[in-house]
Amino acid sequence: MVEALPRERGGEKRHRALVTTYLKGAPTQEAAAERLDLPFSTYRRHLTSGVERVAELLWQHELSGTPLPAADAPHA
């Protein structure tokens, strides 16, 4: 799911924030922002947007059976 985000408009920023925070194990959000070389407020905006997008995709799947995007499939 997260791997599909870079194909979306603005998705690369969301993807980087999510991966750095949750998959690469940054000890704090401040540390994640520093790793990404972003101001904390910008990092938080990208992270929030990424979490919201993943939740949206999961809800679409849950409510309508929409297939989850694969990492190598183009986004519609």
Side-chain angles (χ1 to χ4, degrees):
M1 172 83 50
V2 172
E3 295 84 9
L5 290 178
R7 288 189 314 280
E8 298 181 358
R9 183 171 180 236
E12 182 61 36
K13 295 172 183 178
R14 296 179 193 127
H15 178 264
R16 289 180 59 221
L18 289 169
V19 167
T20 301
T21 304
Y22 298 117
L23 303 178
K24 291 189 177 176
T28 64
Q29 289 186 351
E30 289 83 358
E34 203 169 298
R35 285 184 192 178
L36 294 169
D37 195 29
L38 293 172
F40 187 67
S41 61
T42 302
Y43 156 79
R44 288 286 299 160
R45 187 174 66 246
H46 295 324
L47 180 63
T48 299
S49 178
V51 168
E52 288 173 354
R53 181 63 181 140
V54 169
E56 179 182 319
L57 291 170
L58 289 171
W59 271 115
Q60 286 176 1
H61 172 71
E62 179 71 21
L63 297 175
S64 66
T66 304
L68 295 173
D72 57 354
H75 181 68

